[in-house]
Each structure stands twice: as C-alpha cells, then as structure tokens.
Amino acid sequence: MSQNVRRDAPDRMTTGSSQGVILLGFVFYLSDMNNGGVASGEIRGRLMDLEFNDTSRDDHSLILVIDRDQEGCEQTLRVLQDAGYRATWAEDGAAGINIAEKYRPNAVLLDLNLADMSGLAVCKDLKSKLLTADIPILFMTGNPRTDDIVQHCFDAGGHDLLSKPISRVELLGRLRVALQEQTLRDAYRRLAILDPLTGLANRRQFFLYLTEAVMAAKRNRTETFLILADIDNLALVNEKYGHEFGDEVILTFARLVKRIQTNSCRAGRIGGEEFAIVLTDSTPDRAIALAERLRQTFASVAFDARSQPKHFYAGFGVARFDGADDAFNADIFMLHADIALFVAKDVGRGRVVGHWTLDPNSLPIVAPHKRHARIRDRRRTQRSFIAAPGGESAEASPVTPKQS
C-alpha cells in the first residue's frame, strides 16, 4: 500500500469493545421458523434483535478517514478508537478509494480539500461503484459552511457535512446516526434478497446472479454452468412427517449448498424444494462432479438417526453456456437446466443429468407448472375481466350485495 496510507491492514487496526447486537425497528416481523414459520400477513410494529452474519465485515465498525491534515487526522483516529471503532487513514483521494474498494469500510470521513483531487470527486467515484455505493460518506471542511458547499456535498451523494474543528460529541453522534441508518438499510436489503428460511439468495436475487454470470461469460468467452436441484418427493415427506420435518430437510440441503459457495459459485432457493447454483469459469467435469458430490452427501444424511433413520434424495439438472451465443440469456439457461432436471427426475430418484448429453432432436417438453424459467410473453389473465359488447373486455366492477 502507498506510504500515504496508515493503519490500513486489518490485523494492525485498533479494536475496541464490540458494538453487539443492534436493535432495529421493523414494520414486518419474521417469527421463529420453528414456531410456525413466517407470520401470516401480520404486521407488527415492534423491536427485534437482529444479528447479521456477514463475513465480509467485522463486528467492530471500520471507519476510513481521508484527510491530508495529519495532526487533525491523528486526533480523529484516537476519538474513533476510544469509542470502540476500527479506524484507518488515507492522506489522498486515490489511496482512500483503493482502501474503500478493498476493505469496504462501514463509513467514510472525507475532507473536501485533498492534495490530488477534491473530496467531491472521491465521493462521486465511490458512489458510482457497486461495492462502495452504499457506504455513508460524511464530509469535513475547514471552510465556512455555505449553502453552495452543503448543496454540492449532498448532490455528490454525501450523508452529512461536519465543520472543523469537529467536537468529539458531534463526530460520534453524527457517525452513530449514519451507521444506524446504514444498518437499517442493510437489514431491509437482506429481507428483500434473501430467502427467510435458508438464508440463501431468493429467486429474484438469484436471477440477478445468473444474468450477471451470462454477461460475464459473453465478455470473457468462458464456460458457465447452471445446476438445478430438486429434493425428491418433498410433498410426500410433508404429508407423512409434517411440514416442520420437511423444513428440516430443506435446511439440511441448504447448509450443504452454502458450504460450496465462493465468488465463482453462487446459489439460491428458487422454489419450495428447488435450489439453483451458477458456476462460472468452469468445466463440464467440474460441474457434474459438484452436483454429484451434493447428491451423494445429501443422500448419506440420516434424519432421525437415533430412532428411525430416514434418507432422502435430490435430482440435479446441469446446463452449460460457452459464451459464444450473443442471443443467449438467463431464461434460456434456466430452460436448458429445466429440461435436464426433468430427465433426471423421470429416470428415478437421486440422478444427475447434463443438458449437453441429451439428444437435441428428442428433447422432452417440460410442462409449464414444472418450469423454473420465467415466461416473458405472459398472456393477460381473463379472471378479472368480463365480456363487453363488441367482443372487447372491460374490468369487472365490484359487485354490490343485494339488500334484503
């Protein structure tokens, strides 16, 4: 790292007491899955304890200070460290951007006047990148706080503006508010993109992963693979042993899937007992081997091992994209995996089938209710329409009950 950067290594950062679990106010409350699952449409305005399991960030918030004033920066770092934060410093904008991209701090204290570029330019750069766009940035300035300066800071994406010299109470108070708001946004984001039962990506988020993987394969001309997994006969399991037992089967499979996740292997739950895995920059042998390993491991798990051991199975369909077809998209990818999974389920329990191994002239037709691919040209339903004169349709009006 540049000599202008101090305390930039995580193992050298000073840490204080843990911030612990943060109390957040949620409008929608998810109850314990073991006590009845998600609350059925019930809206509760209550506080809940939420602990994030984000391995990309430490329990102690990391604050990045970008300021060319070394003396003032040293004082700011001491205040932050005494309050229990981890702190690091960059003297110029370029070094600050590099640290922010590498370590993703929880917040940035940014001086408006830097040696190599303006603080506004640094802020715009960080806000333009996906990995750093959500980091709250608090500007600092020793100049008079005019309306124009305030406007420019907020237009650039800043969260707040502090005037130097900054008092300890003001610094920690404003920083605490920024971090609490960021934590709340992260919480709502997690509720929006994660499956509440398994913690894997939900269907919408996984399709974003899949679309990103297809685009990357086209750019780099590398092979990408999609694995669809379906737990066999889960409806019968729920009927025979209860939905709580069925949830445990789903959770067990999800735990196995989580263990294989990496930057090049992302997974999600896209249906009740259906899971999907996208594997980038790989080979057919590795994709099949991965599916086979999951199949064997899941089949070896014994449920109710102490009383009446039970084993369950899953079918796998694997599709391949070599990056050469510009018209290829996530839905075509999913359709190919759908076909492979259909064949695997049709052959028997616990099978793995690759789409490229099938005869292209005799591919089976997957029924609409068994497809995972999205239907883009969905016909408008007639359920809420009534026939109008001239063959047109008109929206049905609410029916007024007859008075007795």
Side-chain angles (χ1 to χ4, degrees):
M1 189 63 68
S2 169
Q3 63 180 359
N4 293 334
V5 182
R6 304 182 57 188
R7 300 182 181 90
D8 57 325
D11 57 351
R12 295 171 54 196
M13 293 179 185
T14 303
T15 59
S17 60
S18 175
Q19 300 299 311
V21 180
I22 301 174
L23 291 177
L24 297 175
F26 282 94
V27 177
F28 297 98
Y29 172 72
L30 299 180
S31 65
D32 189 350
M33 297 304 300
N34 292 328
N35 295 325
V38 180
S40 57
E42 184 176 4
I43 300 177
R44 308 177 184 180
R46 58 178 291 184
L47 291 176
M48 65 178 291
D49 291 337
L50 181 66
E51 182 175 7
F52 291 107
N53 185 26
D54 188 355
T55 56
S56 65
R57 297 198 175 188
D58 194 89
D59 289 340
H60 307 274
S61 295
L62 171 61
I63 311 302
L64 169 61
V65 182
I66 307 177
D67 192 350
R68 64 178 179 178
D69 180 8
Q70 182 174 348
E71 183 178 352
C73 190
E74 289 286 351
Q75 181 179 357
T76 302
L77 293 176
R78 284 194 297 269
V79 170
L80 294 173
Q81 292 166 359
D82 290 343
Y85 297 108
R86 295 182 298 154
T88 183
W89 170 50
E91 189 176 4
D92 56 59
I97 292 173
N98 290 334
I99 295 177
E101 292 177 350
K102 185 174 183 180
Y103 296 113
R104 291 189 60 211
N106 299 84
V108 175
L109 295 176
L110 175 61
D111 190 68
L112 276 174
N113 300 313
L114 301 173
D116 57 340
M117 65 179 72
S118 70
L120 295 175
V122 174
C123 181
K124 291 178 181 179
D125 185 279
L126 294 177
K127 293 298 179 180
S128 67
K129 299 173 181 175
L130 184 61
L131 287 177
T132 56
D134 62 338
I135 299 175
I137 297 177
L138 287 75
F139 283 104
M140 303 180 295
T141 182
N143 298 326
R145 180 171 170 155
T146 64
D147 289 343
D148 287 340
I149 292 179
V150 174
Q151 186 66 46
H152 289 323
C153 290
F154 285 118
D155 288 345
H159 185 278
D160 208 338
L161 176 62
L162 307 176
S163 298
K164 294 182 178 181
I166 308 172
S167 69
R168 179 181 183 278
V169 174
E170 182 182 12
L171 172 61
L172 296 180
R174 292 179 181 269
L175 182 60
R176 183 172 59 252
V177 170
L179 291 175
Q180 288 175 347
E181 292 178 355
Q182 179 61 29
T183 303
L184 187 60
R185 285 193 295 270
D186 286 343
Y188 284 123
R189 178 178 178 272
R190 288 175 177 275
L191 290 176
I193 69 174
L194 298 183
D195 172 61
L197 176 61
T198 64
L200 291 169
N202 59 20
R203 178 182 173 87
R204 177 176 57 184
Q205 183 63 24
F206 181 79
F207 264 96
L208 293 178
Y209 290 158
L210 187 59
T211 301
E212 179 184 350
V214 170
M215 294 174 63
K218 292 179 181 179
R219 289 195 306 268
N220 304 324
R221 288 295 188 265
T222 56
E223 284 194 310
T224 296
F225 296 84
L226 172 61
I227 303 173
L228 281 186
D230 186 286
I231 300 175
D232 293 327
N233 301 322
L234 187 66
L236 297 179
V237 174
N238 290 331
E239 182 179 342
K240 186 174 182 179
Y241 303 108
H243 285 273
E244 185 176 351
F245 187 90
D247 284 348
E248 186 59 36
V249 175
I250 293 174
L251 283 169
T252 300
F253 190 87
R255 294 187 188 105
L256 298 178
V257 171
K258 285 181 179 180
R259 292 179 180 178
I260 66 172
Q261 286 197 114
T262 62
N263 290 335
S264 60
C265 181
R266 292 177 170 179
R269 183 187 179 202
I270 61 174
E273 66 270 27
E274 298 97 7
F275 296 81
I277 303 167
V278 59
L279 187 63
T280 60
D281 193 13
S282 188
T283 64
D285 290 341
R286 288 175 56 192
I288 293 294
L290 179 62
E292 188 64 32
R293 189 169 80 236
L294 276 174
R295 184 195 67 81
Q296 294 178 1
T297 305
F298 181 64
S300 66
V301 175
F303 294 85
D304 285 348
R306 294 184 179 180
S307 55
Q308 297 178 339
K310 306 173 183 64
H311 294 270
F312 302 101
Y313 304 90
F316 295 81
V318 187
R320 177 176 65 177
F321 175 51
D322 58 9
D325 185 1
D326 290 335
F328 196 87
N329 57 38
D331 295 296
I332 298 175
F333 212 173
M334 189 66 75
L335 179 59
H336 289 179
D338 269 334
I339 295 173
L341 178 61
F342 179 85
V343 174
K345 302 283 282 188
D346 188 57
V347 172
R349 294 186 305 173
R351 302 301 178 92
V352 177
V353 173
H355 180 268
W356 61 92
T357 65
L358 303 176
D359 183 0
N361 297 319
S362 59
L363 294 176
I365 299 177
V366 182
H369 67 280
K370 293 186 178 180
R371 294 176 188 165
H372 298 93
R374 298 170 298 184
I375 303 175
R376 294 207 176 268
D377 298 328
R378 189 184 303 276
R379 296 184 62 183
R380 192 174 189 181
T381 178
Q382 299 298 317
R383 292 178 181 175
S384 61
F385 289 77
I386 59 175
E392 301 176 353
S393 19
E395 293 189 11
S397 302
V399 178
T400 304
K402 294 182 179 180
Q403 300 294 330
S404 57

